[in-house]
Amino acid sequence: MAKKKLFIASAVITVGELATQLNLPVTRLISELFKNGIVATVNQWLDLETAQIIIDELNLDVELEKSSAADSALASKHDRVYDDTATKRPPVVAVMGHVDHGKTSLMDVILDAKVASGEAGGITQHISAHQTIYKGLPITLLDTPGHEAFSALRQHGAALTDIVIIVVAADDGVKPQTIEAIKFARQAHAKIVVAINKMDKPGADSNRVKQQLATEHELTPEEWGGNTVMVEVSAKTKEGIDKLLDMVLLVSDLEDLKASDTDAAEGLVIEARMQQGQGVVVSLLVENGILTPGSYLVAGGTYGKVRTLLDDMGKPLAKAGPSRPATVIGFKKLPKFGERFVAFSNEKQARQKSEQYSMQHREEVSSQNMSSSELLDIMTKRKEKQSVNIVLKADVQGSLTSVADSLRMLENDELSMKVVGSGVGDVTENDIRLAAGSHAIIYGFNVQLPPAVKRLAQREKVTIRIFSIIYELIDDAVSVLNELLSPELVEKELGELVVKGVFRTTKNEIVCGGQVTKGKVQPGVLIRIWRGKEQLSEADVISVQRQQQEVKEVFEGEMCGLQLKTKTKLLMEEGDRIEFFTREFIKRTL
């Protein structure tokens, strides 16, 4: 039987996307990767060869194939070769690291802005792009989230960049998101500069940080004979900030970054959101060419005319050149988070290109011919899951992706969270109707609940839960899933007794006596009656007596009498062994 073909749009795919395509719990896929020596997260990129090996290990009759829809015209800047007419461009620098290590505070100092105070919970929850001028030269900076749930955003941020500043707190050292940021930077072939922050703290120890990075992650400081630039800084006192920016410009010069200012503009979608009164608002990073108002942009299956072009501060732009972050208003629909865009000179070309992409994508999805029932036929048997239906709304596409990925990580072989609807923007009446029809919970992240929509939800008895901090949303989802987990039946051994005599036997009762040989015996528990290796029956202990007195417990080495309740008449004999135990249901949690 021929294997089912699964078309993949590029040469790599994330673990989460692959799990979705295969209709598998992402935790199962991660477990299989771990067995094969690959420590991966839901947002870890896999090349198709590695993904195929894992699929074969899972005994799935699926063959991966690269989709022809991957447009060579939209090649990454890391793969582009420029001719002699290309000019020098500013560096794109991502600021990454562990949560609370001071990434956004460092950005504040460099940009003289106040970003952290506006972030819920004090953590960055979107990618933000800004451009600053240092010594007359522009530098584009991307601030990426540090919380573990935003792995997709960090990976996306690394892919956009030439240089990654890894921020490590001098008083805390290397942490999980630090390690992840290093990995993302290497995968994106970006140069790494380490900013050892919080040098003003009493417990600051830069040498410990350098030692960790050198011995555990092969990032050896230049002063130790390595090739990694490490700068000691303090966002609070502004110590070392000038040196850090000098190093960024030096690394940029060595990289000889170039781009064309004559080609059609192209780049990447950083974020996309719906904004009242403006429609679709898209944050872009121009990688090549010059973007101007009036241009027609295509991003995947959507296109639009640039009606408004703004800089990172919301001021009108006459043009946006290479490495410039810009905000565009004019797309017909929301482009996807991380989608590449390219500019066309007229609407006809843009519409045709967009329709061509959509048609090709639909054909390839159709040609996969892999319905849910067919996938179930080629997968190993799994017991039926309990599912929680979710309608998911978020303020921007990047957050929507991160929240959805985080919810998928909660799945196991018993439970799943099924996203029956999702979108960017505030909760609407359509969301309420969808949730009511599918018995779903609505989760909102950084969105509003208009009063009219709230009243409709109350009438339809739809549960809406809105959060501004992602880990609070995830904690709530965990509690919902915990309620669905079937309890675990746990047995606890108490003791054993050897029967020395049987005094009375009726249809449903036995009175006997014996010696406790292990642990203790007590009334109100269960027993198993053994004759050699054969289990005869189970019964309940009604009472325990010692010296003609009822007692609550009798210990090893002591003699006692037992009154037992049986389901059927049982002929017990001297020498039989009685095993005492309790059996109870324990509530499980994820």
Side-chain angles (χ1 to χ4, degrees):
M1 179 179 171
K3 288 187 175 183
K4 299 284 185 182
K5 287 189 181 295
L6 186 64
F7 289 92
I8 306 300
S10 65
V12 291
I13 186 171
T14 68
V15 173
E17 289 169 350
L18 183 60
T20 299
Q21 295 274 19
L22 296 173
N23 199 24
L24 286 172
V26 70
T27 47
R28 183 178 175 191
L29 200 56
I30 289 173
S31 174
E32 193 63 36
L33 285 162
F34 186 76
K35 290 177 188 175
N36 285 271
I38 301 172
V39 180
T41 65
V42 68
N43 298 303
Q44 174 74 45
W45 291 97
L46 301 175
D47 59 70
L48 296 195
E49 183 178 352
T50 301
Q52 187 64 60
I53 291 170
I54 297 303
I55 287 171
D56 293 341
E57 288 287 326
L58 289 166
N59 296 318
L60 306 183
D61 292 325
V62 176
E63 182 180 353
L64 298 181
E65 187 169 307
K66 186 176 177 181
S67 165
S68 59
D71 195 331
S72 60
L74 299 181
S76 166
K77 68 171 180 277
H78 296 296
D79 302 322
R80 184 181 296 279
V81 177
Y82 293 99
D83 59 26
D84 294 337
T85 63
T87 57
K88 185 176 179 179
R89 65 171 176 83
V92 178
V93 183
V95 185
M96 308 177 76
H98 193 73
V99 65
D100 292 333
H101 276 201
K103 303 177 305 302
T104 306
S105 297
L106 195 61
M107 288 272 290
D108 289 346
V109 175
I110 294 171
L111 300 169
D112 194 24
K114 291 299 176 187
V115 180
S117 59
E119 293 284 355
I123 61 171
T124 303
Q125 308 204 72
H126 307 99
I127 289 181
S128 58
H130 305 275
Q131 193 166 81
T132 189
I133 304 296
Y134 178 71
K135 293 186 175 178
L137 299 172
I139 300 172
T140 297
L141 291 159
L142 304 178
D143 186 15
T144 63
H147 190 269
E148 60 185 355
F150 288 103
S151 182
L153 287 179
R154 283 196 301 281
Q155 184 152 343
H156 182 46
L160 291 167
T161 64
D162 309 301
I163 301 169
V164 174
I165 296 177
I166 306 288
V167 181
V168 188
D171 62 337
D172 201 19
V174 175
K175 293 295 178 181
Q177 274 81 64
T178 316
I179 299 167
E180 193 181 53
I182 293 169
K183 178 183 67 179
F184 289 164
R186 284 172 169 160
Q187 287 175 340
H189 307 292
K191 291 296 178 181
I192 294 175
V193 173
V194 177
I196 305 176
N197 194 24
K198 301 190 179 183
M199 288 301 297
D200 56 287
K201 290 289 189 74
D205 187 349
S206 61
N207 284 326
R208 179 172 69 96
V209 173
K210 292 175 182 178
Q211 187 71 37
Q212 282 181 300
L213 292 170
T215 58
E216 299 172 18
H217 306 288
E218 299 179 354
L219 292 177
T220 307
E222 286 183 327
E223 61 266 33
W224 292 8
N227 57 6
T228 303
V229 175
M230 297 191 186
V231 183
E232 297 175 3
V233 301
S234 168
K236 186 175 181 179
T237 66
K238 301 185 180 181
E239 171 196 351
I241 301 300
D242 286 344
K243 183 179 178 182
L244 176 64
L245 294 177
D246 285 336
M247 291 298 101
V248 166
L249 290 178
L250 177 61
V251 172
S252 173
D253 283 340
L254 293 174
E255 288 295 291
D256 192 24
L257 304 173
K258 290 184 177 181
S260 170
D261 55 8
T262 57
D263 293 345
E266 60 181 279
L268 279 169
V269 174
I270 298 175
E271 288 289 11
R273 66 187 186 276
M274 294 294 298
Q275 193 159 310
Q276 189 172 3
Q278 294 181 315
V280 177
V281 178
V282 182
S283 297
L284 307 171
L285 179 69
V286 180
E287 292 182 347
N288 196 56
I290 301 294
L291 179 62
T292 58
S295 301
Y296 288 90
L297 300 183
V298 175
T302 184
Y303 77 100
K305 182 180 181 180
V306 181
R307 290 190 285 108
T308 305
L309 184 65
L310 306 171
D311 66 10
D312 54 292
M313 302 305 290
K315 296 177 181 179
L317 270 177
K319 61 181 181 178
S323 302
R324 185 71 189 253
T327 298
V328 166
I329 299 173
F331 271 92
K332 302 286 187 182
K333 297 183 296 184
L334 281 168
K336 290 182 180 178
F337 167 67
E339 197 106 62
R340 295 195 65 79
F341 75 85
V342 64
F344 291 86
S345 57
N346 60 67
E347 184 176 8
K348 182 179 179 181
Q349 286 182 322
R351 185 175 63 253
Q352 287 177 342
K353 187 67 178 178
S354 174
E355 289 173 352
Q356 178 188 348
Y357 176 92
S358 298
M359 185 178 299
Q360 196 166 15
H361 182 69
R362 282 196 301 270
E363 286 174 354
E364 288 176 345
V365 170
S366 174
S367 66
Q368 292 175 31
N369 194 28
M370 297 186 72
S371 65
S372 298
S373 58
E374 288 175 316
L375 278 169
L376 287 171
D377 288 338
I378 63 173
M379 292 191 316
T380 54
K381 294 284 186 181
R382 301 203 312 258
K383 61 184 178 181
E384 188 176 347
K385 286 185 175 184
Q386 291 195 77
S387 181
V388 177
N389 288 342
I390 299 292
V391 174
L392 189 59
K393 299 300 293 283
D395 55 343
V396 296
Q397 280 280 6
S399 294
L400 192 67
T401 300
S402 293
V403 174
D405 286 343
S406 298
L407 292 177
R408 283 218 307 273
M409 280 297 292
L410 303 178
E411 293 185 354
N412 58 27
D413 290 335
E414 293 180 55
L415 304 172
S416 67
M417 301 206 89
K418 183 179 180 182
V419 180
V420 297
S422 65
V424 173
D426 293 340
V427 181
T428 66
E429 292 185 357
N430 284 337
D431 297 325
I432 303 299
R433 296 185 184 99
L434 175 60
S438 55
H439 305 288
I441 297 172
I442 296 178
Y443 274 112
F445 180 67
N446 274 340
V447 296
Q448 300 296 316
L449 179 61
V453 177
K454 184 177 181 179
R455 288 193 294 271
L456 179 61
Q458 290 170 341
R459 289 198 302 271
E460 298 290 341
K461 297 182 179 177
V462 169
T463 300
I464 302 177
R465 297 172 181 177
I466 295 179
F467 298 88
S468 59
I469 300 175
I470 192 169
Y471 55 77
E472 291 180 355
L473 186 153
I474 295 166
D475 287 345
D476 187 87
V478 167
S479 67
V480 170
L481 288 175
N482 281 340
E483 291 300 316
L484 294 181
L485 274 175
S486 56
E488 181 180 5
L489 186 62
V490 176
E491 289 187 0
K492 180 182 178 182
E493 291 186 14
L494 297 175
E496 293 184 5
L497 175 144
V498 175
V499 176
K500 299 295 185 180
V502 180
F503 308 115
R504 185 172 75 244
T505 301
T506 65
K507 183 179 179 180
N508 297 109
E509 185 183 74
I510 297 175
V511 177
C512 63
Q515 183 177 20
V516 181
T517 58
K518 180 181 177 182
K520 66 178 182 179
V521 304
Q522 62 188 63
V525 299
L526 300 171
I527 63 167
R528 292 188 186 95
I529 303 169
W530 296 84
R531 185 167 296 160
K533 294 184 179 180
E534 180 187 0
Q535 181 180 325
L536 301 181
S537 180
E538 287 190 3
D540 297 305
V541 181
I542 303 302
S543 65
V544 178
Q545 291 189 349
R546 185 160 55 88
Q547 298 176 352
Q548 279 102 42
Q549 297 288 327
E550 285 196 14
V551 292
K552 292 184 177 180
E553 52 190 10
V554 179
F555 296 95
E556 184 176 337
E558 296 179 333
M559 300 289 292
C560 68
L562 301 174
Q563 181 186 2
L564 309 176
K565 181 181 179 181
T566 60
K567 293 181 179 179
T568 59
K569 189 172 182 178
L570 178 66
L571 297 176
M572 187 178 288
E573 298 177 359
E574 185 177 338
D576 287 346
R577 179 169 57 88
I578 298 177
E579 183 181 276
F580 294 76
F581 67 97
T582 59
R583 182 185 286 149
E584 61 180 327
F585 286 102
I586 303 295
K587 186 168 182 59
R588 293 185 297 144
T589 58
L590 289 174

